[in-house]
Amino acid sequence: MDYTITHNESRKRFEISLDGKTAYVKYELFDGGIAYMHTIVPAELEGKGIASALAKYVLDYAKDNSLKVKPYCPFINAYIDRHPEYQENSLFHTKN
């Protein structure tokens, strides 16, 4: 499976397009951080690892850009729970 994640700044989202369908994570910026609001994965792309690839990408993006994360999106929040290496950057998680 070959895909590229793009940052669509005008629509405030990170996107993966595959097989004519687009999955994305919407965000809002705040002073010193980024709030991940909602993840959308079309049914045709479910089960292909797209949502996990997006979650990892957006969390790495925040870390690489020294942005604190507010994971309002339940999927991003759950991804952080399963990957403690992202907890230190999250404003909603207990630091281990």
Side-chain angles (χ1 to χ4, degrees), residues 75-91:
F75 187 83
I76 300 296
N77 196 34
Y79 191 90
I80 293 170
D81 287 342
R82 290 188 312 273
H83 297 88
E85 64 271 24
Y86 294 108
Q87 289 182 3
E88 70 182 41
N89 215 35
S90 172
L91 296 175

Side-chain angles (χ1 to χ4, degrees), residues 6 9 19-20 22 27 35-36 55 63-64 77-78 80 83 88-89:
T6 58
E9 291 184 66
D19 300 332
T22 301
Y27 69 86
Y36 294 119
K63 196 171 190 177
D64 292 347
N77 196 34
I80 293 170
H83 297 88
E88 70 182 41
N89 215 35

Side-chain angles (χ1 to χ4, degrees), residues 6-86:
T6 58
H7 184 183
N8 185 332
E9 291 184 66
S10 65
R11 297 184 81 180
K12 293 186 181 177
R13 63 191 207 177
F14 293 90
E15 305 171 335
I16 290 179
S17 293
L18 182 67
D19 300 332
K21 302 291 179 188
T22 301
Y24 60 88
V25 175
K26 288 204 57 85
Y27 69 86
E28 294 291 334
L29 295 174
F30 64 93
D31 189 26
I34 191 165
Y36 294 119
M37 307 303 289
H38 196 57
T39 300
I40 297 291
V41 178
E44 298 87 351
L45 298 181
E46 289 179 3
K48 296 184 178 191
I50 297 296
S52 291
L54 271 170
K56 182 178 182 340
Y57 184 89
V58 300
L59 292 168
D60 285 342
Y61 174 88
K63 196 171 190 177
D64 292 347
N65 289 281
S66 301
L67 298 171
K68 290 295 184 185
V69 173
K70 289 183 181 178
Y72 292 120
C73 170
F75 187 83
I76 300 296
N77 196 34
Y79 191 90
I80 293 170
D81 287 342
R82 290 188 312 273
H83 297 88
E85 64 271 24
Y86 294 108

